[in-house]
Amino acid sequence: MIDDAAADAAASGAVGGVLDPELPQGTFVLEPGVMAPLVARIATSEGSGTHRSMCPFTGAPLVTFPISSADDVAACTVRARLAQRGWARLSVRDRAGVLLRLGRIVLERQSEALDLIQLETGKARRAAFEEIADVAQVARHYAVRGERYLGSRRTRGMVPLLTGAQVHRRPVGVVGVIASWSNPLVLALSEALPALLAGNAVVLKPDPQATLTALWAAEALDDAGLPAGLFQVVAGGPDVGEALIEHVDHISFTGSTATGRKVASRAGQRLIGSMLALGGKNPLYVMEDVDIDAVVPGIVRACYSNAGQLCVSVERLVVHEAVADEFVAKFVRAVRNLRLGPALDYSAEVGSLTSAAQLDNVTAHVDDALARGARVLAGGVHRADVGPYFYAPTVLDDVPAQAAVAREETFGPVVTITRVDCDEEAIAVMNDTEYGLHAAVWSRDVGRARRVAARVETGSVAINDGYSIAWGSVSAPLGGWKASGLGGRHGTASIDGLTRQQTVVTSRGARFGATLDNLYGVGGDTPSRVLTTALDVMRRLRMA
């Protein structure tokens, strides 16, 4: 896809698959005609204007696409409801087949998706590949575990033998997904796949900067055999997201805590379920027993993958005083050696920030910290020589508690250093935040690390890894505490949020007259005495 576009674009000024630096604002990175089939997938009547997205690597335009209106959103959900009825009647195994085929398609056509992800977000290719791997993992997991997760289960009724109960999972109906730009493929599909498996339809509203990747996901699902109408994409800004909340039966939102509170409020007013994946200020604790040379590469990746624009990226390093000097020196050296670049291959280790707004926020945090007395050990500069939104991977020391970078989510390639004398102090520092998304602990003593992890106030903790094994453990729930979100994704957590439970109880004794109604018909205190005896027997037998 991109190779053909690059060839056409070269004739009009674009070179190397990106653009001609002599014409940065006039040359489309992607040939509009090549993108037309993807753009045509947007659910829109084309009467609400257009949006032009930009390539973070260069500032050149990527694509212009029509945005959806509130009426388009409403019509989209009507189509989704009609399609969902037939889909829910299929067996879980039939629905799982679509997910298995999607996982294969994503792996086989990864170069297409990688190019789009990079061009829309500015991330390095290795960070983009993490999205490919995650979607393949999630698709396989739910396809394989689907029948177990969604199967009906029997449970004890009120009176053993005489009554029985079955618990069924039913789809909620239409699931709305509002996704941020940070992981466009993952966030387009991580909630959508379990939602579809459970028998729901999905309407996705991606961030305008990441719409092409979302449309590519829709195309891949079509190619995997998903029936029409079950996965639709609406395009636009916050007003489109607000309209979506008004028409769906469950909303999944990934973004800022401030916006998440508004989403939760409206979902609560409508009495629909919600899953909110919000901000974080994630800490990583380096204990004094680590092999510094061995752990530095992994900790660098934990901090600077996707230029720090991951919800689970580390922004605060908490280092034991006994190894602080040596660790910081080697960490800073490794950070300074990171390769920045806009290449559509694996040559760059750190990519670009995604937008001018992200660059402004990162710059403001660093400048505020320096004004308050912090020291720059690495980076701290806008790398305009590499691209318009590149920022050097940054390490800050002696950051005062009042600095914005110490309290607020930066969501960029900036890490602060805090030295501690013991585990107790480290735990206090790690928990001193309104957020509670993710944390990491590095130590040779896994038992000690687990004891620390048990006291950290976050939804997930990785031991001797930054974030990959936590995110990649898709059978385990992943979600935030405190101001970092509500609900969770992965494993049964997604299924719980995307289904309704229905209990069906049966009076088996009705066939031979052994019912509560007949017992109550005896009159007097006999029913109470009989039930008292039965309840006492069940207590003695510890029958749940």
Side-chain angles (χ1 to χ4, degrees):
M1 179 196 301
I2 307 303
D3 290 342
D4 291 340
D8 291 336
S12 60
V15 295
V18 183
L19 85 163
D20 181 351
E22 298 295 327
L23 302 168
Q25 302 303 321
T27 304
F28 274 89
V29 177
L30 301 172
E31 176 64 32
V34 176
M35 292 296 100
L38 287 182
V39 171
R41 291 181 174 275
I42 297 173
T44 176
S45 53
E46 301 192 14
S48 297
T50 60
H51 175 85
R52 174 177 289 188
S53 60
M54 313 300 287
C55 176
F57 285 148
T58 61
L62 269 178
V63 67
T64 298
F65 56 83
I67 61 178
S68 307
S69 67
D71 288 342
D72 293 329
V73 174
C76 188
T77 56
V78 169
R79 291 192 297 272
R81 290 191 190 285
L82 291 173
Q84 185 268 334
R85 294 169 188 167
W87 177 247
R89 288 194 290 268
L90 295 179
S91 69
V92 175
R93 181 170 297 182
D94 286 342
R95 299 196 296 260
V98 173
L99 272 64
L100 285 173
R101 291 188 291 273
L102 175 76
R104 174 178 54 79
I105 288 169
V106 168
L107 292 175
E108 290 177 350
R109 291 165 47 186
Q110 64 179 272
S111 61
E112 299 175 15
L114 288 170
D115 286 351
L116 286 176
I117 292 168
Q118 283 194 274
L119 290 171
E120 287 198 304
T121 67
K123 65 176 64 179
R125 202 167 189 84
R126 189 169 305 282
F129 179 76
E130 290 184 353
E131 298 202 48
I132 300 294
D134 180 77
V135 170
Q137 178 99 325
V138 169
R140 186 195 70 250
H141 171 76
Y142 282 108
V144 172
R145 293 288 186 92
E147 289 185 294
R148 185 183 309 175
Y149 285 163
L150 292 164
S152 299
R153 60 184 177 86
R154 295 182 182 274
T155 186
R156 191 185 302 275
M158 175 182 170
V159 181
L161 301 179
L162 297 181
T163 62
Q166 281 189 312
V167 181
H168 307 280
R169 289 191 179 274
R170 311 297 191 198
V172 295
V174 177
V175 174
V177 177
I178 301 175
S180 79
W181 46 263
S182 58
N183 281 293
L185 187 62
V186 165
L187 297 179
L189 294 174
S190 61
E191 281 294 281
L193 294 182
L196 291 167
L197 179 76
N200 298 292
V202 175
V203 179
L204 168 66
K205 204 292 291 184
D207 186 275
Q209 182 59 33
T211 300
L212 287 177
T213 303
L215 294 169
W216 185 90
E219 180 181 76
L221 279 167
D222 275 2
D223 293 344
L226 185 71
L230 288 169
F231 185 89
Q232 299 178 69
V233 179
V234 293
D239 56 326
V240 178
E242 292 170 4
L244 183 60
I245 298 171
E246 297 302 314
H247 295 281
V248 296
D249 305 302
H250 178 96
I251 190 71
S252 170
F253 171 80
T254 303
S256 72
T257 295
T259 303
R261 294 184 195 277
K262 297 176 182 177
V263 172
S265 175
R266 186 57 191 142
Q269 290 171 349
R270 291 200 58 230
L271 295 179
I272 63 171
S274 62
M275 193 289 295
L276 309 176
L278 309 179
K281 195 67 180 174
N282 307 315
L284 185 153
Y285 177 31
V286 181
M287 292 183 176
E288 77 279 9
D289 64 346
V290 299
D291 179 337
I292 294 176
D293 290 329
V295 305
V296 162
I299 295 176
V300 168
R301 189 171 69 85
C303 299
Y304 299 106
S305 182
N306 197 23
Q309 298 172 120
L310 289 174
C311 62
V312 288
S313 287
V314 170
E315 296 196 3
R316 298 183 292 145
L317 287 179
V318 182
V319 187
H320 197 286
E321 188 67 57
V323 294
D325 289 346
E326 181 183 359
F327 172 82
V328 170
K330 292 181 176 179
F331 178 78
V332 167
R333 187 180 307 126
V335 172
R336 289 174 176 169
N337 288 332
L338 287 170
R339 298 186 303 275
L340 277 69
L344 297 181
D345 57 32
Y346 289 96
S347 60
E349 296 173 288
V350 179
S352 172
L353 293 170
T354 298
S355 66
Q358 286 302 111
L359 176 62
D360 290 345
N361 188 64
V362 170
T363 302
H365 274 203
V366 173
D367 289 350
D368 172 72
L370 296 181
R372 295 175 184 272
R375 295 186 297 123
V376 174
L377 303 184
V381 294
H382 174 202
R383 290 294 305 274
D385 57 310
V386 182
Y389 307 137
F390 279 83
Y391 198 90
T394 298
V395 183
L396 299 177
D397 203 355
D398 298 328
V399 177
Q402 299 79 13
V405 74
R407 315 299 303 178
E408 302 172 10
E409 183 179 39
T410 304
F411 217 62
V414 179
V415 175
T416 62
I417 304 287
T418 302
R419 293 165 171 79
V420 295
D421 290 325
C422 61
D423 292 351
E424 289 293 326
E425 186 180 0
I427 292 166
V429 170
M430 295 170 84
N431 290 338
D432 185 20
T433 172
E434 68 171 321
Y435 298 108
L437 183 57
H438 180 69
V441 180
W442 292 63
S443 173
R444 293 183 180 181
D445 186 341
V446 173
R448 176 184 167 195
R450 284 176 175 161
R451 290 191 293 275
V452 169
R455 297 175 59 192
V456 176
E457 298 168 353
T458 57
S460 59
V461 182
I463 294 175
N464 294 327
D465 185 75
Y467 62 83
S468 296
I469 61 173
W471 189 275
S473 297
V474 294
S475 61
L478 189 71
W481 292 7
K482 303 194 284 191
S484 289
L486 291 173
R489 53 167 53 102
H490 292 169
T492 58
S494 286
I495 298 297
D496 288 343
L498 297 166
T499 57
R500 296 187 178 101
Q501 294 195 65
Q502 181 185 56
T503 299
V504 178
V505 294
T506 303
S507 176
R508 298 177 182 142
R511 291 175 295 175
F512 44 86
T515 67
L516 280 176
D517 288 335
N518 288 339
L519 177 61
Y520 286 143
V522 173
D525 66 349
T526 300
S528 298
R529 287 188 290 105
V530 170
L531 290 174
T532 296
T533 300
L535 291 168
D536 189 56
V537 169
M538 287 191 285
R539 178 187 61 82
R540 292 174 184 274
L541 295 176
R542 301 180 66 84
M543 297 173 68

